[in-house]
Amino acid sequence: MPKAKRRRLLSATIAVTLGATALAACGSDDEGDAQAGPAELTYWSWAPGIEKVVDIWNKGPGKKDGIKVTVKKQGQGDELVTKILTAHKAGKAPDLVQAEYQTVPTLVSNDALADISGEVGGVKEKFEDTVWQQTTLGTDAVYAVPQDVAPLMFYYREDLFARYGLDVPETWEQFADTARELKRKAPDKDLTTFSATDSGLFAGLAQQAGAAWWTTEGDSWKVGIDDPATHRVAEFWGGLVEEDVIDNEPMYTPAWNKALNTGKQIAWVSAVWAPGVLPTVAPDTEGKWAMAPLPQWEAGEQTTGSWGGSSVGVTTDSDHPEAAAKFATWLNTDPEAVAALAAEGGIYPAATAAQTAGAFDQPPAYFANQADFYDRATEIAKTTAPSAWGPNVNVAYSSFKDAFGAAAKSGDKDEFTAAVRTVQQDTVADLKRQGFEVAP
């Protein structure tokens, strides 16, 4: 990999993980829109109902400014990243892309995202610092505008907690005790499950515990997956699986859906978007759930991790970077646009003012019994720990699924610890294969 590209990404990432002042990233190569006159932009996105939101732009601000946006719906995750990079290599990437936060470093390292810092002045204060850093990578550059956030929370069957005399756990130690108590009182039930297919959830739990999976030393990457914080999380969940006080089957399967719907599992560690999932997964339990902050490692702490969240970036292939940045800013900060995103796509906005706006002055219909749902969600979102992403998150996540899948199947706590080491080794090996320098 060319040194210039590597250094660009390294300098851009250091502040995300350490919260330090980073070196300034390279500025955008664009001197403004390459073509004068009206702009027609293409936007790749997977957000539900995004076409309706874009239609508001095209009939209003876009029509006034001569900027038309066409949406092309895509898959998400690795599928979209691969498609973006393939298109970029051919010089045919769209003007705008929806990018999950953990994919931003990968897109930057491949020079697929433009620095739009000159086009989004004054936007920073609309977001929490920990959110903004995920799209700036802690530098003076801006590679995307935050769209939504996904702080982790604890969801539980309020009625069944009352039936079995369970207290809502405030610490992970209490969480483990609650799992044991439930198993004693109702052997046929589980508090929750450990899902080895959901690497994003585990990453968020490690984030809460203080893990920083990717950092830098000089011009080298340093991978910290095999660190004490991640081991703490792995050993905790591996211990519960070994004790057989929680389930160890994947989420988002017919069996898991049934377990939540029938009350065989009575809690779920998830993110703020859970109210959009539960009506489909557990339709018979509407109004029986409640939400609380994620359990803490130490009593009195207030920290959470995240599971998901995305941004909107302008690609280096766009002929209209100024127009594209203008749309990305409107989409994620304009009150009408953000309200439409919430209504049509069910997102929880990254813009802090929008989190308490009209779209969120009432609880989700599924949680009508918890009037303060969004008030609590807003407070929890403020406690999100910094994220630490690198250029090969996809490799780490794939390794996680294989290694932790085997560990969960074995039911052996020690295998969970071994799985952490495996993910570390696979991630380091892949960085070296790509030509990155890796610190020991």
Side-chain angles (χ1 to χ4, degrees), residues 202 206 209-213 224-235 404 420:
F202 186 86
W213 282 4
I225 296 173
D226 189 16
D227 71 342
T230 305
H231 274 278
R232 188 179 195 182
V233 175
E235 289 168 6
F404 277 86
V420 172

Side-chain angles (χ1 to χ4, degrees), residues 9 13 50 70 75-76 118 130 154 157 176 202 232 236 259 312 327 347 351-352 397 405 425:
L9 181 59
T13 306
I50 188 63
T70 299
Q76 61 188 100
T130 54
F154 179 65
R157 280 286 299 273
F202 186 86
R232 188 179 195 182
F236 175 81
V312 179
F327 169 75
I347 73 159
T352 53
Y397 277 14
Q425 293 165 0

Side-chain angles (χ1 to χ4, degrees), residues 243-307:
E243 286 186 55
D244 198 26
V245 293
I246 63 170
D247 198 2
N248 65 346
E249 294 299 320
M251 295 187 289
Y252 300 107
T253 63
W256 180 74
N257 294 352
K258 183 178 180 181
L260 289 191
N261 198 42
T262 61
K264 186 178 184 301
Q265 286 183 30
I266 68 170
W268 184 25
V269 176
S270 189
V272 69
W273 41 256
V277 176
L278 286 169
T280 300
V281 169
D284 298 336
T285 62
E286 180 175 343
K288 297 179 180 180
W289 290 79
M291 178 270 286
L294 200 65
Q296 302 293 303
W297 287 106
E298 303 295 337
E301 290 183 348
Q302 292 184 336
T303 305
T304 193
S306 56
W307 183 11

Side-chain angles (χ1 to χ4, degrees), residues 116-384:
I116 55 173
S117 55
E119 289 74 49
V120 294
V123 175
K124 177 181 178 180
E125 63 268 19
K126 298 181 183 295
F127 305 95
E128 293 287 347
D129 287 345
T130 54
V131 176
W132 185 248
Q133 284 185 335
Q134 293 194 78
T135 55
T136 67
L137 304 185
T139 73
D140 293 335
V142 178
Y143 297 107
V145 179
Q147 182 164 99
D148 63 310
V149 292
L152 288 172
M153 302 165 177
F154 179 65
Y155 294 88
Y156 64 99
R157 280 286 299 273
E158 195 171 27
D159 59 330
L160 296 182
F161 264 60
R163 178 187 300 179
Y164 296 114
L166 305 176
D167 294 325
V168 178
E170 296 182 0
T171 67
W172 287 113
E173 182 179 3
Q174 292 171 3
F175 180 95
D177 289 340
T178 300
R180 298 178 186 113
E181 184 178 358
L182 174 64
K183 186 59 70 173
R184 288 194 300 269
K185 293 179 176 179
D188 62 329
K189 297 185 180 298
D190 295 297
L191 180 64
T192 190
T193 189
F194 175 82
S195 179
T197 60
D198 289 286
S199 43
L201 171 57
F202 186 86
L205 293 171
Q207 174 190 352
Q208 184 212 21
W213 282 4
W214 285 268
T215 56
T216 58
E217 286 187 1
D219 287 339
S220 300
W221 281 102
K222 187 174 181 65
V223 180
I225 296 173
D226 189 16
D227 71 342
T230 305
H231 274 278
R232 188 179 195 182
V233 175
E235 289 168 6
F236 175 81
W237 289 94
L240 295 179
V241 170
E242 187 174 71
E243 286 186 55
D244 198 26
V245 293
I246 63 170
D247 198 2
N248 65 346
E249 294 299 320
M251 295 187 289
Y252 300 107
T253 63
W256 180 74
N257 294 352
K258 183 178 180 181
L260 289 191
N261 198 42
T262 61
K264 186 178 184 301
Q265 286 183 30
I266 68 170
W268 184 25
V269 176
S270 189
V272 69
W273 41 256
V277 176
L278 286 169
T280 300
V281 169
D284 298 336
T285 62
E286 180 175 343
K288 297 179 180 180
W289 290 79
M291 178 270 286
L294 200 65
Q296 302 293 303
W297 287 106
E298 303 295 337
E301 290 183 348
Q302 292 184 336
T303 305
T304 193
S306 56
W307 183 11
S310 61
S311 62
V312 179
V314 177
T315 73
T316 52
D317 291 337
S318 176
D319 288 329
H320 303 283
E322 291 182 6
K326 188 169 188 176
F327 169 75
T329 300
W330 173 87
L331 180 64
N332 299 305
T333 62
D334 180 84
E336 183 180 11
V338 176
L341 279 172
E344 301 294 341
I347 73 159
Y348 188 68
T352 53
Q355 294 171 2
T356 55
F360 301 98
D361 59 7
Q362 297 293 325
Y366 194 88
F367 284 80
N369 55 302
Q370 189 172 8
D372 66 346
F373 182 96
Y374 282 122
D375 291 334
R376 302 196 78 182
T378 298
E379 293 305 311
I380 292 170
K382 294 177 182 177
T383 70
T384 306

